[in-house]
Amino acid sequence: MAGAALRAVASRRSPQYFGIAMKASVRHFISPDVDIDDFRPDDPENFSFLLQALVGPADSAGEESLQFLVTTPRSLAEAVQSDGVIFGRSLVIVDGPNMPRILDSVRRAIERLEAPSWQLLAQQLTRLGVYEFESEL
């Protein structure tokens, strides 16, 4: 029995860390701007919206928000023309309103991250989007 338990723990180890790696899991997505289940922008080549991924440790309860701005190149170009400068962190630049592809891409980017603790994993999440508790890291 001890051998099976040891193999189970060893299979969860990451080659990057000496301990058991913690991985992020996307619980679900929400948006205050659009209906994720029925997204049909007026112009499929020119839109942007806020997307929130609710993320927590893969092996325990809890979730925290990670925010992204999903935008098309045309919408981004208009913002640059209007403002002169746009900072790029948290941008998800898409070629159209294919919501399943957008959500899958964001999910994969988040769930490939791993670290030895939630705090270190949260620091990695801030490289992708705006993390809910970013000021506490």
Side-chain angles (χ1 to χ4, degrees):
M1 183 71 169
L6 187 57
R7 282 191 300 279
V9 169
S11 70
R12 291 174 39 199
R13 290 180 190 266
S14 166
Q16 225 173 342
Y17 304 107
F18 292 108
I20 297 172
M22 179 171 282
K23 294 187 71 72
S25 175
V26 176
R27 309 283 195 244
H28 58 278
F29 292 100
I30 58 174
S31 174
D33 299 334
V34 301
D35 180 351
I36 290 176
D37 297 322
D38 189 29
F39 179 54
R40 297 181 193 156
D42 293 335
D43 182 348
E45 295 181 359
N46 188 1
F47 64 85
S48 64
F49 64 90
L50 179 69
L51 178 67
Q52 292 175 281
L54 297 173
V55 181
D59 59 353
S60 62
E63 61 190 30
E64 297 168 0
S65 174
L66 187 63
Q67 297 181 2
F68 302 91
L69 180 66
V70 177
T71 186
T72 59
R74 184 177 292 170
S75 180
L76 188 59
E78 288 179 5
V80 170
Q81 188 171 21
S82 171
D83 298 339
V85 174
I86 300 292
F87 291 91
R89 192 176 129 230
S90 82
L91 291 179
V92 177
I93 303 168
V94 300
D95 64 357
N98 184 333
M99 191 62 76
R101 185 173 63 185
I102 293 167
L103 299 181
D104 184 57
S105 295
V106 172
R107 180 183 305 276
R108 281 186 289 120
I110 292 168
E111 293 185 349
R112 74 173 175 237
L113 300 176
E114 57 182 42
S117 70
W118 180 252
Q119 183 174 4
L120 293 173
L121 190 53
Q123 288 174 357
Q124 291 182 28
L125 290 170
T126 65
R127 296 179 191 145
L128 295 175
V130 179
Y131 174 62
E132 179 178 8
F133 299 109
E134 198 166 292
S135 63
E136 298 174 20
L137 295 176

Short mmCIF file of all heavy atoms in Angstrom, two decimals, residues 83-134:
data_model
loop_
_atom_site.label_atom_id
_atom_site.label_comp_id
_atom_site.label_asym_id
_atom_site.label_seq_id
_atom_site.Cartn_x
_atom_site.Cartn_y
_atom_site.Cartn_z
N ASP A 83 -5.75 56.76 -28.07
CA ASP A 83 -4.97 57.04 -26.85
C ASP A 83 -3.48 57.25 -27.10
O ASP A 83 -2.78 57.75 -26.23
CB ASP A 83 -5.15 55.89 -25.85
CG ASP A 83 -6.59 55.74 -25.41
OD1 ASP A 83 -7.37 56.70 -25.54
OD2 ASP A 83 -6.94 54.64 -24.93
N GLY A 84 -2.99 56.79 -28.23
CA GLY A 84 -1.57 56.95 -28.54
C GLY A 84 -0.70 55.81 -28.03
O GLY A 84 0.22 55.40 -28.70
N VAL A 85 -1.02 55.29 -26.83
CA VAL A 85 -0.22 54.23 -26.23
C VAL A 85 -1.17 53.26 -25.51
O VAL A 85 -2.10 53.69 -24.83
CB VAL A 85 0.79 54.79 -25.20
CG1 VAL A 85 1.51 53.67 -24.47
CG2 VAL A 85 1.77 55.73 -25.86
N ILE A 86 -0.92 51.97 -25.67
CA ILE A 86 -1.68 50.94 -24.95
C ILE A 86 -0.66 49.99 -24.32
O ILE A 86 0.27 49.55 -24.98
CB ILE A 86 -2.58 50.13 -25.90
CG1 ILE A 86 -3.60 51.02 -26.60
CG2 ILE A 86 -3.26 48.98 -25.18
CD1 ILE A 86 -4.66 51.60 -25.71
N PHE A 87 -0.84 49.70 -23.05
CA PHE A 87 0.00 48.71 -22.39
C PHE A 87 -0.64 47.35 -22.59
O PHE A 87 -1.85 47.20 -22.50
CB PHE A 87 0.17 49.04 -20.91
CG PHE A 87 0.99 50.27 -20.70
CD1 PHE A 87 0.40 51.52 -20.61
CD2 PHE A 87 2.38 50.19 -20.64
CE1 PHE A 87 1.15 52.66 -20.45
CE2 PHE A 87 3.15 51.33 -20.47
CZ PHE A 87 2.53 52.57 -20.38
N GLY A 88 0.16 46.32 -22.85
CA GLY A 88 -0.36 45.05 -23.33
C GLY A 88 -0.65 43.97 -22.33
O GLY A 88 -1.18 42.94 -22.69
N ARG A 89 -0.32 44.14 -21.06
CA ARG A 89 -0.57 43.05 -20.11
C ARG A 89 -2.07 42.79 -19.99
O ARG A 89 -2.86 43.70 -19.97
CB ARG A 89 -0.01 43.41 -18.74
CG ARG A 89 0.01 42.22 -17.82
CD ARG A 89 0.66 42.57 -16.51
NE ARG A 89 -0.27 42.12 -15.50
CZ ARG A 89 -0.71 42.81 -14.49
NH1 ARG A 89 -0.30 44.01 -14.28
NH2 ARG A 89 -1.55 42.32 -13.64
N SER A 90 -2.44 41.58 -19.95
CA SER A 90 -3.79 41.06 -19.80
C SER A 90 -4.59 41.06 -21.10
O SER A 90 -5.76 40.72 -21.10
CB SER A 90 -4.58 41.76 -18.68
OG SER A 90 -5.15 42.97 -19.12
N LEU A 91 -3.96 41.41 -22.21
CA LEU A 91 -4.67 41.40 -23.49
C LEU A 91 -4.72 39.99 -24.07
O LEU A 91 -3.72 39.26 -24.07
CB LEU A 91 -3.97 42.30 -24.51
CG LEU A 91 -4.02 43.80 -24.26
CD1 LEU A 91 -3.25 44.52 -25.37
CD2 LEU A 91 -5.45 44.30 -24.20
N VAL A 92 -5.88 39.63 -24.58
CA VAL A 92 -6.05 38.41 -25.35
C VAL A 92 -6.52 38.88 -26.72
O VAL A 92 -7.65 39.34 -26.88
CB VAL A 92 -7.09 37.47 -24.71
CG1 VAL A 92 -7.29 36.23 -25.57
CG2 VAL A 92 -6.66 37.08 -23.29
N ILE A 93 -5.63 38.85 -27.70
CA ILE A 93 -5.93 39.38 -29.02
C ILE A 93 -6.43 38.23 -29.89
O ILE A 93 -5.74 37.23 -30.06
CB ILE A 93 -4.68 40.06 -29.63
CG1 ILE A 93 -4.19 41.15 -28.69
CG2 ILE A 93 -5.00 40.62 -31.01
CD1 ILE A 93 -2.82 41.70 -29.01
N VAL A 94 -7.64 38.41 -30.43
CA VAL A 94 -8.31 37.33 -31.17
C VAL A 94 -8.66 37.79 -32.59
O VAL A 94 -8.77 38.98 -32.86
CB VAL A 94 -9.58 36.88 -30.43
CG1 VAL A 94 -9.24 36.35 -29.04
CG2 VAL A 94 -10.61 37.99 -30.33
N ASP A 95 -8.87 36.81 -33.46
CA ASP A 95 -9.21 37.14 -34.85
C ASP A 95 -10.71 37.09 -35.12
O ASP A 95 -11.15 37.32 -36.24
CB ASP A 95 -8.47 36.22 -35.82
CG ASP A 95 -8.86 34.77 -35.69
OD1 ASP A 95 -9.67 34.42 -34.80
OD2 ASP A 95 -8.36 33.95 -36.48
N GLY A 96 -11.49 36.77 -34.12
CA GLY A 96 -12.94 36.72 -34.31
C GLY A 96 -13.63 36.24 -33.05
O GLY A 96 -12.99 35.90 -32.05
N PRO A 97 -14.97 36.19 -33.09
CA PRO A 97 -15.76 35.89 -31.89
C PRO A 97 -15.98 34.40 -31.63
O PRO A 97 -17.07 34.00 -31.24
CB PRO A 97 -17.09 36.60 -32.18
CG PRO A 97 -17.22 36.52 -33.66
CD PRO A 97 -15.81 36.65 -34.20
N ASN A 98 -14.96 33.58 -31.81
CA ASN A 98 -15.09 32.15 -31.56
C ASN A 98 -14.89 31.91 -30.05
O ASN A 98 -13.78 31.63 -29.59
CB ASN A 98 -14.05 31.40 -32.39
CG ASN A 98 -14.19 29.90 -32.26
OD1 ASN A 98 -14.67 29.39 -31.25
ND2 ASN A 98 -13.74 29.19 -33.27
N MET A 99 -15.98 32.02 -29.29
CA MET A 99 -15.89 31.95 -27.83
C MET A 99 -15.31 30.63 -27.33
O MET A 99 -14.46 30.64 -26.43
CB MET A 99 -17.24 32.23 -27.19
CG MET A 99 -17.16 32.42 -25.69
SD MET A 99 -16.16 33.84 -25.16
CE MET A 99 -17.26 35.18 -25.53
N PRO A 100 -15.69 29.47 -27.87
CA PRO A 100 -15.07 28.23 -27.37
C PRO A 100 -13.55 28.24 -27.55
O PRO A 100 -12.81 27.81 -26.66
CB PRO A 100 -15.72 27.13 -28.22
CG PRO A 100 -17.05 27.70 -28.59
CD PRO A 100 -16.80 29.17 -28.80
N ARG A 101 -13.06 28.76 -28.67
CA ARG A 101 -11.61 28.81 -28.89
C ARG A 101 -10.94 29.80 -27.93
O ARG A 101 -9.86 29.54 -27.40
CB ARG A 101 -11.30 29.17 -30.33
CG ARG A 101 -9.80 29.13 -30.61
CD ARG A 101 -9.48 29.32 -32.05
NE ARG A 101 -9.91 30.66 -32.44
CZ ARG A 101 -9.85 31.13 -33.68
NH1 ARG A 101 -9.39 30.38 -34.65
NH2 ARG A 101 -10.25 32.34 -33.96
N ILE A 102 -11.59 30.94 -27.70
CA ILE A 102 -11.05 31.94 -26.78
C ILE A 102 -10.94 31.35 -25.38
O ILE A 102 -9.88 31.42 -24.74
CB ILE A 102 -11.94 33.21 -26.76
CG1 ILE A 102 -11.87 33.93 -28.12
CG2 ILE A 102 -11.53 34.15 -25.63
CD1 ILE A 102 -12.93 35.00 -28.31
N LEU A 103 -12.02 30.76 -24.89
CA LEU A 103 -12.02 30.21 -23.54
C LEU A 103 -11.03 29.05 -23.41
O LEU A 103 -10.33 28.95 -22.39
CB LEU A 103 -13.43 29.75 -23.15
CG LEU A 103 -14.51 30.83 -23.13
CD1 LEU A 103 -15.84 30.23 -22.71
CD2 LEU A 103 -14.12 32.00 -22.25
N ASP A 104 -10.95 28.21 -24.41
CA ASP A 104 -10.00 27.09 -24.38
C ASP A 104 -8.56 27.59 -24.34
O ASP A 104 -7.73 27.07 -23.59
CB ASP A 104 -10.22 26.17 -25.58
CG ASP A 104 -9.33 24.94 -25.52
OD1 ASP A 104 -9.41 24.20 -24.53
OD2 ASP A 104 -8.54 24.75 -26.47
N SER A 105 -8.26 28.61 -25.12
CA SER A 105 -6.89 29.16 -25.14
C SER A 105 -6.52 29.77 -23.79
O SER A 105 -5.41 29.57 -23.30
CB SER A 105 -6.77 30.21 -26.25
OG SER A 105 -6.92 29.60 -27.50
N VAL A 106 -7.44 30.52 -23.21
CA VAL A 106 -7.17 31.12 -21.89
C VAL A 106 -7.03 30.03 -20.84
O VAL A 106 -6.11 30.05 -20.02
CB VAL A 106 -8.28 32.14 -21.52
CG1 VAL A 106 -8.12 32.61 -20.08
CG2 VAL A 106 -8.27 33.32 -22.48
N ARG A 107 -7.92 29.04 -20.89
CA ARG A 107 -7.84 27.92 -19.93
C ARG A 107 -6.49 27.20 -20.03
O ARG A 107 -5.83 26.93 -19.02
CB ARG A 107 -8.98 26.93 -20.17
CG ARG A 107 -8.96 25.74 -19.21
CD ARG A 107 -10.06 24.74 -19.52
NE ARG A 107 -11.38 25.33 -19.54
CZ ARG A 107 -12.15 25.54 -18.46
NH1 ARG A 107 -11.70 25.17 -17.26
NH2 ARG A 107 -13.34 26.07 -18.57
N ARG A 108 -6.05 26.89 -21.24
CA ARG A 108 -4.78 26.19 -21.42
C ARG A 108 -3.60 27.01 -20.91
O ARG A 108 -2.68 26.48 -20.29
CB ARG A 108 -4.58 25.79 -22.88
CG ARG A 108 -5.38 24.55 -23.27
CD ARG A 108 -5.09 24.04 -24.67
NE ARG A 108 -5.65 24.97 -25.66
CZ ARG A 108 -4.95 25.63 -26.58
NH1 ARG A 108 -3.65 25.47 -26.68
NH2 ARG A 108 -5.54 26.46 -27.42
N ALA A 109 -3.62 28.32 -21.17
CA ALA A 109 -2.53 29.19 -20.70
C ALA A 109 -2.45 29.19 -19.18
O ALA A 109 -1.36 29.16 -18.60
CB ALA A 109 -2.72 30.61 -21.23
N ILE A 110 -3.60 29.20 -18.53
CA ILE A 110 -3.64 29.20 -17.06
C ILE A 110 -3.25 27.84 -16.50
O ILE A 110 -2.43 27.73 -15.59
CB ILE A 110 -5.04 29.61 -16.56
CG1 ILE A 110 -5.30 31.08 -16.90
CG2 ILE A 110 -5.19 29.35 -15.07
CD1 ILE A 110 -6.75 31.51 -16.71
N GLU A 111 -3.82 26.79 -17.04
CA GLU A 111 -3.66 25.46 -16.45
C GLU A 111 -2.32 24.81 -16.74
O GLU A 111 -1.99 23.79 -16.14
CB GLU A 111 -4.83 24.57 -16.85
CG GLU A 111 -6.13 25.05 -16.22
CD GLU A 111 -7.33 24.17 -16.47
OE1 GLU A 111 -7.25 23.26 -17.33
OE2 GLU A 111 -8.35 24.39 -15.80
N ARG A 112 -1.51 25.40 -17.58
CA ARG A 112 -0.17 24.84 -17.80
C ARG A 112 0.82 25.35 -16.74
O ARG A 112 1.93 24.84 -16.62
CB ARG A 112 0.33 25.13 -19.20
CG ARG A 112 0.75 26.56 -19.43
CD ARG A 112 1.41 26.74 -20.79
NE ARG A 112 1.68 28.12 -21.00
CZ ARG A 112 1.25 28.84 -22.03
NH1 ARG A 112 0.52 28.27 -22.96
NH2 ARG A 112 1.54 30.10 -22.13
N LEU A 113 0.43 26.35 -15.97
CA LEU A 113 1.31 26.91 -14.94
C LEU A 113 1.36 25.98 -13.73
O LEU A 113 0.39 25.33 -13.38
CB LEU A 113 0.80 28.29 -14.50
CG LEU A 113 0.73 29.36 -15.58
CD1 LEU A 113 0.12 30.63 -15.03
CD2 LEU A 113 2.09 29.61 -16.19
N GLU A 114 2.53 25.96 -13.08
CA GLU A 114 2.68 25.21 -11.84
C GLU A 114 3.76 25.85 -11.00
O GLU A 114 4.67 26.50 -11.51
CB GLU A 114 2.97 23.74 -12.11
CG GLU A 114 4.19 23.47 -12.93
CD GLU A 114 4.37 21.98 -13.19
OE1 GLU A 114 3.40 21.29 -13.48
OE2 GLU A 114 5.54 21.54 -13.09
N ALA A 115 3.63 25.66 -9.69
CA ALA A 115 4.59 26.22 -8.74
C ALA A 115 4.46 25.44 -7.43
O ALA A 115 3.47 24.73 -7.23
CB ALA A 115 4.32 27.70 -8.51
N PRO A 116 5.42 25.57 -6.53
CA PRO A 116 5.36 24.81 -5.28
C PRO A 116 4.33 25.35 -4.27
O PRO A 116 4.01 24.68 -3.31
CB PRO A 116 6.77 24.90 -4.71
CG PRO A 116 7.44 25.99 -5.45
CD PRO A 116 6.72 26.20 -6.73
N SER A 117 3.78 26.57 -4.49
CA SER A 117 2.79 27.13 -3.56
C SER A 117 1.79 27.98 -4.34
O SER A 117 2.08 28.42 -5.46
CB SER A 117 3.47 27.99 -2.50
OG SER A 117 3.96 29.19 -3.08
N TRP A 118 0.63 28.24 -3.72
CA TRP A 118 -0.37 29.08 -4.39
C TRP A 118 0.17 30.49 -4.57
O TRP A 118 -0.07 31.12 -5.60
CB TRP A 118 -1.69 29.09 -3.63
CG TRP A 118 -2.68 29.95 -4.34
CD1 TRP A 118 -3.14 31.18 -3.95
CD2 TRP A 118 -3.30 29.68 -5.61
NE1 TRP A 118 -4.00 31.68 -4.90
CE2 TRP A 118 -4.12 30.78 -5.93
CE3 TRP A 118 -3.23 28.62 -6.51
CZ2 TRP A 118 -4.87 30.84 -7.09
CZ3 TRP A 118 -3.98 28.69 -7.67
CH2 TRP A 118 -4.78 29.78 -7.95
N GLN A 119 0.89 31.03 -3.61
CA GLN A 119 1.42 32.40 -3.74
C GLN A 119 2.36 32.50 -4.95
O GLN A 119 2.28 33.45 -5.72
CB GLN A 119 2.15 32.83 -2.48
CG GLN A 119 2.64 34.27 -2.59
CD GLN A 119 3.23 34.82 -1.31
OE1 GLN A 119 3.37 34.12 -0.33
NE2 GLN A 119 3.59 36.09 -1.33
N LEU A 120 3.23 31.52 -5.14
CA LEU A 120 4.13 31.55 -6.30
C LEU A 120 3.37 31.32 -7.60
O LEU A 120 3.70 31.91 -8.63
CB LEU A 120 5.25 30.52 -6.13
CG LEU A 120 6.23 30.84 -5.00
CD1 LEU A 120 7.20 29.68 -4.79
CD2 LEU A 120 6.99 32.13 -5.28
N LEU A 121 2.34 30.50 -7.55
CA LEU A 121 1.51 30.28 -8.73
C LEU A 121 0.74 31.56 -9.07
O LEU A 121 0.65 31.95 -10.23
CB LEU A 121 0.55 29.12 -8.48
CG LEU A 121 -0.23 28.59 -9.66
CD1 LEU A 121 0.68 28.23 -10.83
CD2 LEU A 121 -1.04 27.39 -9.25
N ALA A 122 0.24 32.25 -8.05
CA ALA A 122 -0.47 33.52 -8.28
C ALA A 122 0.46 34.55 -8.91
O ALA A 122 0.03 35.34 -9.77
CB ALA A 122 -1.05 34.03 -6.96
N GLN A 123 1.72 34.56 -8.52
CA GLN A 123 2.68 35.48 -9.15
C GLN A 123 2.80 35.19 -10.64
O GLN A 123 2.90 36.11 -11.45
CB GLN A 123 4.04 35.39 -8.46
CG GLN A 123 4.05 35.99 -7.09
CD GLN A 123 5.36 35.77 -6.36
OE1 GLN A 123 6.27 35.10 -6.86
NE2 GLN A 123 5.47 36.32 -5.15
N GLN A 124 2.78 33.92 -11.02
CA GLN A 124 2.83 33.56 -12.43
C GLN A 124 1.55 33.99 -13.15
O GLN A 124 1.58 34.43 -14.30
CB GLN A 124 3.04 32.06 -12.61
CG GLN A 124 4.40 31.59 -12.19
CD GLN A 124 4.57 30.09 -12.42
OE1 GLN A 124 3.94 29.52 -13.30
NE2 GLN A 124 5.41 29.47 -11.62
N LEU A 125 0.41 33.87 -12.47
CA LEU A 125 -0.86 34.27 -13.07
C LEU A 125 -0.87 35.76 -13.43
O LEU A 125 -1.48 36.15 -14.43
CB LEU A 125 -2.02 33.94 -12.13
CG LEU A 125 -2.34 32.47 -11.93
CD1 LEU A 125 -3.33 32.27 -10.80
CD2 LEU A 125 -2.85 31.84 -13.22
N THR A 126 -0.17 36.57 -12.63
CA THR A 126 -0.15 38.01 -12.92
C THR A 126 0.57 38.33 -14.22
O THR A 126 0.41 39.43 -14.75
CB THR A 126 0.51 38.82 -11.78
OG1 THR A 126 1.89 38.46 -11.68
CG2 THR A 126 -0.19 38.62 -10.46
N ARG A 127 1.34 37.40 -14.74
CA ARG A 127 1.98 37.62 -16.04
C ARG A 127 0.97 37.49 -17.18
O ARG A 127 1.20 38.00 -18.27
CB ARG A 127 3.12 36.64 -16.24
CG ARG A 127 4.23 36.84 -15.25
CD ARG A 127 5.34 35.84 -15.44
NE ARG A 127 6.26 35.90 -14.33
CZ ARG A 127 6.89 34.87 -13.82
NH1 ARG A 127 6.72 33.67 -14.34
NH2 ARG A 127 7.70 35.01 -12.81
N LEU A 128 -0.12 36.79 -16.92
CA LEU A 128 -1.15 36.59 -17.93
C LEU A 128 -2.26 37.64 -17.86
O LEU A 128 -2.69 38.18 -18.87
CB LEU A 128 -1.79 35.20 -17.78
CG LEU A 128 -0.91 34.00 -18.01
CD1 LEU A 128 -1.67 32.72 -17.70
CD2 LEU A 128 -0.41 33.99 -19.45
N GLY A 129 -2.76 37.87 -16.66
CA GLY A 129 -3.90 38.76 -16.48
C GLY A 129 -3.77 39.56 -15.21
O GLY A 129 -2.76 39.50 -14.52
N VAL A 130 -4.81 40.29 -14.89
CA VAL A 130 -4.85 41.09 -13.66
C VAL A 130 -5.46 40.22 -12.57
O VAL A 130 -6.63 39.84 -12.63
CB VAL A 130 -5.67 42.39 -13.86
CG1 VAL A 130 -5.72 43.18 -12.56
CG2 VAL A 130 -5.06 43.23 -14.97
N TYR A 131 -4.65 39.89 -11.57
CA TYR A 131 -5.02 38.99 -10.50
C TYR A 131 -5.72 39.76 -9.39
O TYR A 131 -5.30 40.85 -9.00
CB TYR A 131 -3.76 38.28 -9.99
CG TYR A 131 -3.94 37.41 -8.78
CD1 TYR A 131 -4.77 36.30 -8.82
CD2 TYR A 131 -3.26 37.68 -7.60
CE1 TYR A 131 -4.92 35.49 -7.72
CE2 TYR A 131 -3.40 36.87 -6.50
CZ TYR A 131 -4.24 35.78 -6.55
OH TYR A 131 -4.39 34.98 -5.45
N GLU A 132 -6.78 39.18 -8.86
CA GLU A 132 -7.63 39.80 -7.85
C GLU A 132 -6.83 40.33 -6.65
O GLU A 132 -7.10 41.42 -6.16
CB GLU A 132 -8.66 38.78 -7.38
CG GLU A 132 -9.59 39.25 -6.31
CD GLU A 132 -10.62 38.18 -5.95
OE1 GLU A 132 -10.52 37.03 -6.41
OE2 GLU A 132 -11.53 38.52 -5.19
N PHE A 133 -5.87 39.57 -6.17
CA PHE A 133 -5.12 39.95 -4.97
C PHE A 133 -3.68 40.34 -5.31
O PHE A 133 -2.77 40.14 -4.51
CB PHE A 133 -5.15 38.82 -3.94
CG PHE A 133 -6.54 38.48 -3.48
CD1 PHE A 133 -7.15 37.30 -3.87
CD2 PHE A 133 -7.24 39.36 -2.68
CE1 PHE A 133 -8.43 36.98 -3.47
CE2 PHE A 133 -8.53 39.07 -2.25
CZ PHE A 133 -9.13 37.87 -2.65
N GLU A 134 -3.49 40.92 -6.47
CA GLU A 134 -2.17 41.26 -6.97
C GLU A 134 -1.37 42.15 -6.01
O GLU A 134 -0.18 41.99 -5.85
CB GLU A 134 -2.36 41.97 -8.31
CG GLU A 134 -1.17 42.03 -9.16
CD GLU A 134 -1.55 42.44 -10.57
OE1 GLU A 134 -2.23 41.66 -11.26
OE2 GLU A 134 -1.15 43.54 -10.95
#
